[in-house]
Amino acid sequence: MTTPYEPGGFSRREMIGSAALVGGWMALGADPTLAAAYQASDSGPYSLPPLPYDYADLEPHIDAQTMKLHHDIHHAGYVRKANAALATLQRIRETGGNDIKKVRAVSDALSFNASGHVLHAIFWQNMKKDGGGEPSSGTDIAGMIRRDFGSFHAFAGHFQAAAAQVQGSGWGILAYEPLAKRLIVLQSEKHNNLSVWGVVPLLVIDVWEHAYYLRYQNRRNDYIKAFMRVVNWDHVEKRLQAARQNA
Ligand code: MN3
């Protein structure tokens, strides 16, 4: 398989290891802030990256208890299960026999959990204390948002509506699509449905209930507005630069 997105700094083995995933290494790009998420741990190629701030730093917009449970329990579970799926597939290849019939189910688990890991790793970095507002004028992300959506206001309305209208659990995603070289807004159901192959997520909002129910209960729109007040646009700009360099 040839791909126009081959990033630098990866061994062939590492690339093959994660190229099986939807968006795995492509989503990483060359963004150094995500490196900790892709360090091998004892149980496989993925690790839970530390939060880049304290649990309470996003208060009052995102509460500390939600951050702790979300990162330490939910995200950790995706990491563990993604590593486990890869290990199970390796065992199936080695032992063969009747276990080969489990490939469909384990592939499903790999896609779900590894995609969950990728998106959460980006999500934590996408937020910061005293974030929000609009990207600084003069940045590429500000210019491309204007070019591809008309205005920041139009983008924000589209992005928030996409997040609000996710059916069930999922994500709103601002992504760079490297073939058309433009920004697109996507929804994802669960972690891995409704994507476009090859896109690089730049800004992602988790709209699973575990991301907001403790503070906002069923008021998803209030949580989405709160998220917009903690967006780390400097990080989104860094991800865009990395995605364009590696496209
Ligand atoms: Mn989540």
Side-chain angles (χ1 to χ4, degrees), residues 8 60 67 74 81 90 100 105 122-123 132 181 190-191 220:
M67 289 298 294
H74 292 279
K81 289 172 190 172
Q90 182 176 351
I100 201 76
I122 298 167
F123 179 60
K181 298 184 169 33
K190 302 198 289 182
H191 303 305
R220 186 188 278 186

Side-chain angles (χ1 to χ4, degrees), residues 70 120 206 210:
H70 198 174
H120 283 92
D206 187 339
H210 67 224

